Amino acid sequence: MLKHIFPVIFSLLFLVSCGGTDFLANHDKPLQGLNITIDPGHGATRAYDNFRVGPAGEREEWINLRVAKYLTKKLTRAGADVLLTRAGDRDISLGGRATLAKRHQSDLLVSIHHNGSGNDPDIDLPIVYFFGPASKNPASVDFGHILLAEMRKQMVFEQPSAGAVYSDHLIYSSGTSILRNTIELMPGVIGEGGFFTNPAGERRLRSRAYNKLEAEVYFQAILTYFDRGLPTATPVIPDSLKYLDLNDRVQFQLDDGFGSHFFDGTSFEIFQNGEPLKAAWDEMLGILSAAPVPTQEQQVSFQVFGRNFKGNSIHPVAFNFLTETGDLWYSVDSWRTAFQRADSLLLAYNSVDSSDVPEKTRLLDETLHHYQLSLELQIVHPKARLAEVRILDLLEQKQKLLKLDLAEQLNIQRQILLEYYPQ
Ligand SMILES: [Zn+2]
């Protein structure tokens, strides 16, 4: 019983001491310590793009840039470290924008756009896009809903109630480049603050006062989002281990974004390589754990999902670990050591009787691993060709020993020898 009383007391103390909007209002730099990327969409497309332009000639990229600059000023004043992907009417490649955002290690990415319709000048509504399926990207969806609500509250649209938060997979089957290439590290959205192809919409979007209002909308949404705390999961791994022991439970220390661990107990999920595990929550310690599934893979990846008591979700970054197999694979430090180890394994392999198939197979795989590893550690080394020859030979033996069809792999290996090491 006592176990259940404690968190209640703690949470009351906690809410009084540092919770909520009071904290924000009394703090002159509420976004101190946060990295935010603001990406004004497009740029310098006037010469060739006849689509992203309103009936009176206002171009989307110009509106995007004005709003982004006003917003950057507000965020910087509030203490955020802001990266603006372009500050002028120039084009930055989509890949370049994503690289900038990643280098900046942002806590949030906001790409500012405005919408156009080639065949319906009446349409004018707000849309916020997130990447992929909502269930895999909950933090971006959280921010998307906050932003949409703020747009509807303060901005003017011809069809305000028709706006929505949508997956970017509705526009492109693999999503938008900017969100797809940043999602591994940070939550992000594309905001579409109305249609410039609607004549009334374009008139509004041309107005500097309305651009400032839109910047204020983004600013308020960002404040609200961060005020709800940035919940995180951190893997707990004993320092003495270099790899993750899959016989032990995998554990994550959760933080609700306020230095504590008040979470919605029904929101937890742990995935191993995309497959759900049964997660257990220790609310006293704030530890979420699960029993991993054994695997022969060299690497294993985990994602943690959970929502803090204010409704913000953990952004499910992938935590990648070596398994024991992977650790053995990488623990050899130089190509020379790997090659020598492969040679001695080859001797051991040749001395085992063919009737002992399990042992023969184990040694064959180990030998193969080490010849391949020597090439992975040093692409070109004095014995590289010999390593490739031995790999081809071992693959042929493996095919015979285990009666496998390795034709494709053997062909690739023969091609490598022919094309990369001609004699
Ligand atoms: Zn756009």
Side-chain angles (χ1 to χ4, degrees):
M1 200 54 217
L2 201 61
K3 186 172 174 285
H4 292 281
I5 294 167
F6 268 39
V8 174
I9 296 168
F10 282 148
S11 76
L12 285 174
L13 283 173
F14 168 77
L15 286 170
V16 170
S17 63
C18 67
T21 39
D22 289 349
F23 176 70
L24 260 190
N26 296 332
H27 200 294
D28 62 340
K29 299 268 184 208
L31 299 176
Q32 191 86 55
L34 292 165
N35 292 349
I36 301 171
T37 293
I38 300 299
D39 173 49
H42 319 289
T45 65
R46 194 178 194 177
Y48 58 89
D49 186 321
N50 300 318
F51 172 70
R52 292 182 182 86
V53 58
E58 183 66 12
R59 301 191 63 81
E60 185 202 338
E61 56 207 346
W62 301 342
I63 309 165
N64 298 344
L65 182 61
R66 289 196 299 269
V67 175
K69 282 181 156 177
Y70 290 135
L71 175 58
T72 299
K73 227 176 262 173
K74 287 172 186 285
L75 292 170
T76 307
R77 226 178 285 137
D81 182 346
V82 184
L83 170 82
L84 186 64
T85 56
R86 67 175 175 98
D89 186 17
R90 59 194 193 96
D91 192 22
I92 309 280
S93 75
L94 291 170
R97 292 172 201 252
T99 306
L100 285 172
K102 286 203 268 196
R103 211 176 291 152
H104 188 243
Q105 302 208 325
S106 304
D107 298 294
L108 180 69
L109 169 107
V110 179
S111 188
I112 296 178
H113 286 250
H114 294 82
N115 231 328
S117 167
N119 56 19
D120 184 357
D122 292 338
I123 192 169
D124 177 41
L125 48 88
I127 297 178
V128 181
Y129 290 109
F130 60 89
F131 177 78
S135 61
K136 297 287 175 213
N137 196 3
S140 303
V141 175
D142 291 342
F143 178 69
H145 283 300
I146 294 171
L147 177 58
L148 181 74
E150 204 62 41
M151 282 178 168
R152 278 182 172 152
K153 197 162 84 187
Q154 298 200 50
M155 294 169 71
V156 181
F157 304 100
E158 302 304 308
Q159 299 98 31
S161 58
V165 176
Y166 287 139
S167 166
D168 66 351
H169 282 44
L170 289 171
I171 14 179
Y172 303 107
S173 59
S174 57
T176 51
S177 168
I178 180 96
L179 296 183
R180 183 178 59 251
N181 289 310
T182 50
I183 202 63
E184 276 172 39
L185 294 178
M186 67 197 78
V189 301
I190 294 176
E192 305 262 9
F195 278 64
F196 52 82
T197 43
N198 177 274
E202 185 190 31
R203 268 196 301 281
R204 282 190 289 274
L205 293 169
R206 292 182 85 137
S207 143
R208 305 304 190 263
Y210 191 74
N211 298 152
K212 277 183 190 161
L213 171 75
E214 185 173 343
E216 181 63 21
V217 161
Y218 276 95
F219 181 61
Q220 288 300 329
I222 290 169
L223 283 180
T224 304
Y225 177 68
F226 286 118
D227 188 38
R228 292 177 8 174
L230 266 190
T232 54
T234 310
V236 180
I237 299 182
D239 290 341
S240 56
L241 291 180
K242 284 193 295 182
Y243 61 91
L244 193 72
D245 183 352
L246 293 174
N247 297 312
D248 268 354
R249 293 183 74 79
V250 56
Q251 297 187 323
F252 298 90
Q253 175 72 61
L254 266 52
D255 187 307
D256 55 16
F258 300 94
S260 193
H261 37 80
F262 297 108
F263 278 85
D264 170 355
T266 65
S267 67
F268 296 121
E269 286 178 297
I270 299 180
F271 285 79
Q272 176 180 341
N273 294 351
E275 296 295 323
L277 301 175
K278 197 175 175 322
W281 173 234
D282 182 330
E283 66 177 335
M284 289 304 290
L285 296 175
I287 298 271
L288 190 69
S289 69
V293 177
T295 173
Q296 293 306 306
E297 296 292 318
Q298 291 170 18
Q299 255 198 14
V300 68
S301 171
F302 293 93
Q303 278 180 298
V304 176
F305 292 77
R307 206 167 39 244
N308 75 4
F309 69 106
K310 291 217 168 199
N312 263 12
S313 303
I314 294 169
H315 184 58
V317 292
F319 298 111
N320 299 314
F321 301 100
L322 287 182
T323 61
E324 195 170 2
T325 314
D327 187 53
L328 284 173
W329 177 254
Y330 286 103
S331 60
V332 178
D333 56 356
S334 77
W335 76 267
R336 207 181 299 267
T337 325
F339 191 88
Q340 281 165 2
R341 178 98 184 99
D343 271 356
S344 61
L345 280 161
L346 186 61
L347 282 177
Y349 164 75
N350 284 330
S351 68
V352 171
D353 195 90
S354 317
S355 60
D356 188 355
V357 176
E359 182 61 2
K360 197 92 181 154
T361 310
R362 189 188 70 78
L363 283 166
L364 194 155
D365 281 339
E366 276 269 287
T367 314
L368 255 178
H369 272 182
H370 282 84
Y371 281 127
Q372 284 164 343
L373 182 57
S374 78
L375 295 161
E376 206 165 299
L377 292 166
Q378 174 67 54
I379 299 164
V380 178
H381 63 66
K383 294 190 174 174
R385 189 174 201 284
L386 185 57
E388 299 282 13
V389 170
R390 298 253 166 92
I391 288 168
L392 176 63
D393 184 45
L394 286 163
L395 285 174
E396 279 169 346
Q397 296 200 36
K398 187 171 179 173
Q399 174 167 265
K400 219 183 295 166
L401 183 71
L402 299 176
K403 299 179 178 63
L404 295 169
D405 179 10
L406 299 179
E408 202 178 322
Q409 226 178 320
L410 283 163
N411 272 336
I412 293 170
Q413 191 59 25
R414 286 191 192 106
Q415 282 301 313
I416 288 175
L417 269 167
L418 268 176
E419 303 290 350
Y420 296 171
Y421 304 86
Q423 278 191 321

